[in-house]
Amino acid sequence: MLILLPPSEGKSAARRGDPLAIEDLHFPELNPARRAVLHALRTVSATDDALGVLGVGASLIEDVRQNLVLEEASSAPAHDIYSGVLYDALGFARMTPVQKRKARDHCVVVSGLWGAIGLGDPIPAYRLSMSVSLPEIGRLAGYWKKHVAGPLADHAGRDLIVDCRSSTYAAAWAPPPEQTAAVHVVQVRNGVRTVVSHFAKHTRGELARHLLVRRGTAPATPEALLRATREKWAAELEPATARKPAQLTILLD
């Protein structure tokens, strides 16, 4: 089983730790592309129009300034750096040692800066969304689509891919439909289904945690994933087609 996660926009900077060692990240074949994005991000972050290019408000100016020193800043495992709603629900720090090893083995984060990294890879805090277009790089989703497909396909092998990414990050890689289930979350009130971003992120994080800490074998098919999901939630499964992965929908009251 491979669980695809998005990064979080919110990050907790490491207070101590070694600086970035890009060669220590998973998928070393991505390192030339990573260095190109790092260079473009550092260049943009030093300009007067940095906030506009990066699509952030003035309140995040310190985060943007951090982009200028990414290669000197302290690093920490990605599961500690990413601090948003999904990662709070994933609760890596609350896992047992065996569960933590399983999480590091089975989770990959698709990132606008790194392309794809392991959950335990040491990284600094940064500010860059997959939706950004960088000079000389272009829109990051399109850029990474050219680079991550081979490494991620090799990493997944024939395992079930549980896609917990948002649409912004899903644009960077389309996994093989026949072995993938994309996770959606809707709230049902008075028979009406609505998507609520906060609860969707939280529930995807809870699902990832459930799959990692539950007993028994990991689900190997979308149907087995549906059964595992129904251990905690009401859920539905739309089978895969030749071009579209299976769609797992979790229904919240």
Side-chain angles (χ1 to χ4, degrees):
M1 176 183 64
L2 171 62
I3 302 176
L4 295 177
L5 300 175
S8 63
E9 296 303 323
K11 300 175 184 70
S12 298
R15 295 186 178 182
R16 61 179 64 87
D18 294 331
L20 173 67
I22 204 166
E23 62 274 10
D24 290 342
L25 304 180
H26 277 75
F27 313 111
E29 57 268 57
L30 298 179
N31 285 346
R34 288 165 173 157
R35 290 191 174 96
V37 176
L38 274 167
H39 175 76
L41 178 60
R42 184 170 59 246
T43 300
V44 162
S45 297
T47 67
D48 293 338
D49 193 32
L51 297 178
V53 173
L54 298 178
V56 299
S59 64
L60 296 176
I61 184 63
E62 291 303 320
D63 289 10
V64 173
R65 288 173 179 160
Q66 179 69 18
N67 289 341
L68 299 173
V69 293
L70 290 181
E71 293 176 88
E72 297 82 37
S74 295
S75 296
H79 54 68
D80 291 337
I81 294 294
Y82 296 132
S83 56
V85 172
L86 186 151
Y87 287 87
D88 285 344
L90 178 65
F92 183 90
R94 305 190 302 275
M95 292 181 180
T96 67
V98 171
Q99 292 165 352
K100 288 179 178 178
R101 184 168 62 251
K102 189 175 180 181
R104 288 190 291 265
D105 288 344
H106 291 280
C107 294
V108 166
V109 182
V110 175
S111 160
L113 179 53
W114 315 113
I117 55 171
L119 192 62
D121 284 359
I123 58 171
Y126 62 94
R127 175 59 60 169
L128 182 65
S129 170
M130 186 68 83
S131 62
V132 168
S133 180
L134 291 176
E136 300 184 12
I137 294 290
R139 191 161 297 277
L140 288 167
Y143 176 81
W144 284 118
K145 195 170 187 177
K146 298 180 292 185
H147 296 283
V148 303
L152 287 179
D154 290 344
H155 184 72
R158 295 181 177 274
D159 290 346
L160 174 68
I161 300 170
V162 182
D163 194 348
C164 292
R165 297 173 296 169
S166 61
S167 58
T168 299
Y169 290 89
W173 182 48
E178 67 276 9
Q179 68 184 87
T180 304
V183 179
H184 305 280
V185 182
V186 298
Q187 193 168 48
V188 183
R189 288 186 176 176
N190 299 320
V192 177
R193 298 184 178 193
T194 57
V195 177
V196 183
S197 177
H198 176 88
F199 290 116
K201 293 176 183 178
H202 181 83
T203 305
R204 287 189 182 109
E206 286 189 321
L207 174 64
R209 179 181 177 84
H210 176 61
L211 296 174
L212 294 166
V213 305
R214 65 188 289 274
R215 295 188 177 186
T217 58
T221 65
E223 293 74 20
L225 175 64
L226 175 64
R227 292 193 293 272
T229 303
R230 283 178 170 171
E231 293 168 1
K232 290 197 66 173
W233 298 275
E236 300 173 349
L237 182 69
E238 180 182 333
T241 67
R243 301 184 63 180
K244 184 179 179 182
Q247 308 292 303
L248 176 74
T249 301
I250 296 175
L251 310 173
L252 303 180
D253 294 332

